[in-house]
């Protein structure tokens, strides 16, 4: 009996030891391997990644050793963002960062960018995307400092900044030669000079946002349209100073897919007929383009067969006829059509066409 109990005790002890070994292997090898795969495929948010570091020492070591997980620093809308950015870049895992998002981050000033230049030149040399949207304390000096250490930037966004002028754009084009995505929305103090600089230096530009850059006129825009023929996205929202002659040159952009002309008060059917040559258009915003009529919309419908979104909001010169053209030519692709405020379009027609 005693021998049997001893044997059973030995067996139980052996099983418990095996379970402990399996659990250790699971925690040390399987979980980190699975989490590594998950983090790589799903692209977890930075905050979630940092939380995972606290799960176990093994997981911590595994995630830290996988550089492709630590390519983004996202501090948007955070307080003390300048100090947080310095702290993050001090960690070896962020020394190959590709994307920094400081959109509406608090306390970002020129002096913070100067600290980056003094300490992290090597860490930022491969940065590809920088979002400074809403960082209103940054001036031309800040743009000069940060672009001087980020030669590989491809995307630069500084929306809603009234301190940046043509001087800042001059620093950008001098220091960063690979920009393909540029957002200057709300930079109200840039002028024709900036557009000429962009046109001369960024011929491979794919996306340009000039929303509310109110000092721009035809000359600069036409230079952009003549030189930047790779543009796929062009945002000219709330710019009423351009003429129909400038809008006609949009037809040169054969790769254009997204076009926002909201508030283009000088756009006529002639200009819209020219724009219809952009046959790859997927999204077109004509909100408050008050001189447009059925003639221009029909030209778009007949030529832009891939159109998915069209806004005619507030255009009183369009009628049921333009809907008939859209229904005939774009019914297979058009998913969003805004005709609010189009008093010439009758509800009966909308119902009849299933819109």
């Amino acid at each position: 009996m005693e021998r049997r109990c001893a044997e059973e005790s030995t067996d139980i002890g052996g099983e418990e030891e095996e379970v402990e070994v399996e659990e250790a292997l699971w925690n040390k090898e399987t979980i980190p391997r699975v989490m590594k795969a998950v983090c790589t495929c799903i692209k977890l948010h930075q905050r979630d990644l940092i939380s995972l570091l606290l799960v176990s020492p093994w997981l911590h070591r595994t995630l830290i050793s996988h550089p492709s997980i630590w390519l983004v620093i996202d501090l948007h809308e955070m307080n003390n963002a300048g100090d947080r950015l310095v702290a993050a870049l001090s960690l070896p895992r962020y020394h190959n960062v590709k994307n920094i998002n400081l959109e509406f981050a608090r306390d970002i000033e020129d002096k913070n960018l100067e600290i980056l230049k003094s300490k992290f030149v090597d860490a930022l040399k491969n940065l590809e995307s920088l979002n400074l949207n809403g960082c209103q304390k940054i001036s031309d000096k800040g743009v000069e400092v940060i672009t001087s250490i980020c030669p590989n930037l491809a995307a630069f966004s500084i929306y809603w900044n009234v301190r940046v002028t043509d001087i800042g754009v001059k620093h950008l084009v001098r220091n960063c030669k690979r920009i393909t995505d540029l957002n200057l929305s709300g930079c109200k103090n840039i002028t024709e000079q900036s557009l000429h600089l962009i046109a001369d230096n960024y011929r491979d530009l794919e996306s340009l946002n000039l929303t509310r850059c109110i000092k721009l006129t035809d000359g600069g825009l036409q230079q952009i349209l003549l030189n930047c023929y790779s543009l796929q996205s062009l945002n000219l929202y709330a710019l009423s100073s351009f003429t129909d002659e400038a809008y006609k040159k949009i037809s040169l952009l054969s790769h254009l897919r997204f076009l926002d002309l909201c508030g283009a008060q000088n756009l006529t059917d002639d200009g819209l007929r020219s724009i219809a040559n952009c046959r790859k258009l997927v999204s077109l915003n004509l909100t408050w383009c008050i001189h447009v009529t059925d003639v221009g919309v029909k030209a778009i419908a007949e030529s832009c067969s891939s159109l998915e979104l069209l806004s005619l909001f507030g255009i009183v010169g369009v009628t049921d006829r333009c809907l008939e053209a859209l229904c005939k030519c774009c019914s297979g692709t058009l998913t969003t059509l805004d005709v609010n405020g189009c008093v010439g379009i009758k509800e009966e027609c909308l119902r009849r066409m299933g819109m």
Side-chain angles (χ1 to χ4, degrees), residues 227-244:
N227 288 8
C228 303
Y229 41 78
S230 295
L231 275 172
Q232 298 179 29
S233 175
L234 180 61
N235 195 328
L236 302 176
Y237 181 98
L239 295 175
S240 58
S241 59
F242 298 133
T243 69
D244 218 29

Side-chain angles (χ1 to χ4, degrees), residues 2-16:
E2 292 180 358
R3 178 186 293 179
R4 185 180 300 116
C5 289
E7 290 176 350
E8 290 177 354
S9 177
T10 300
D11 291 341
I12 292 173
E15 290 176 358
E16 290 178 347

Side-chain angles (χ1 to χ4, degrees), residues 128 143 146-148 150-158 166-184 193-210 220-221 223-234 253:
E128 296 176 355
V143 174
I146 193 62
T147 58
S148 69
C150 302
N152 290 306
L153 269 186
F156 182 71
S157 185
I158 193 163
D166 297 330
I167 295 173
V169 175
K170 184 177 181 179
H171 292 313
L172 175 68
V173 301
R174 183 184 63 200
N175 295 327
C176 303
K177 304 297 185 182
R178 302 181 179 183
I179 297 291
T180 58
D181 186 339
L182 181 58
N183 184 357
L184 298 174
Q193 183 182 353
S194 286
L195 293 195
H196 285 281
L197 287 167
I198 293 166
D200 291 340
N201 290 275
Y202 295 146
R203 292 175 181 263
D204 293 327
L205 196 64
E206 296 178 0
S207 178
L208 178 62
N209 190 335
L210 298 173
L221 178 61
Q223 198 65 29
I224 290 284
L225 299 175
L226 288 169
N227 288 8
C228 303
Y229 41 78
S230 295
L231 275 172
Q232 298 179 29
S233 175
L234 180 61
L253 305 179

Side-chain angles (χ1 to χ4, degrees), residues 82 107 143 306 338 349-350:
D107 311 315
V143 174
S306 298
D338 188 350
C349 182
L350 290 171

Side-chain angles (χ1 to χ4, degrees), residues 23-85:
E23 287 181 350
L25 287 173
W26 176 264
N27 289 326
K28 186 176 181 180
E29 297 181 7
T30 306
I31 290 179
R33 191 162 56 246
V34 170
M35 292 309 301
K36 177 179 175 181
V38 169
C39 292
T40 303
C41 296
I42 299 181
K43 304 292 184 185
L44 291 179
H45 192 278
Q46 180 183 346
R47 295 171 190 171
D48 298 325
L49 281 172
I50 292 173
S51 298
L52 287 173
L53 294 178
L54 305 176
V55 173
S56 75
W58 300 293
L59 186 55
H60 184 283
R61 284 195 295 270
T62 299
L63 295 180
I64 291 297
S65 66
H66 197 60
S68 65
I69 295 176
W70 306 100
L71 299 179
V72 177
I73 297 178
D74 188 354
L75 299 174
H76 77 281
E77 298 183 357
M78 285 194 180
N79 293 317
N80 302 317
D83 293 337
R84 290 172 183 264
L85 182 57

Side-chain angles (χ1 to χ4, degrees), residues 46 70-75 85 89 94 96-103 123-124 126-132 153 155:
Q46 180 183 346
W70 306 100
L71 299 179
V72 177
I73 297 178
D74 188 354
L75 299 174
L85 182 57
L89 289 171
Y94 285 116
N96 194 37
V97 64
K98 302 287 188 184
N99 183 326
I100 294 179
N101 183 3
L102 298 172
E103 185 171 46
L124 294 172
N126 293 316
L127 191 70
E128 296 176 355
S129 176
L130 177 60
N131 187 335
L132 297 175
L153 269 186

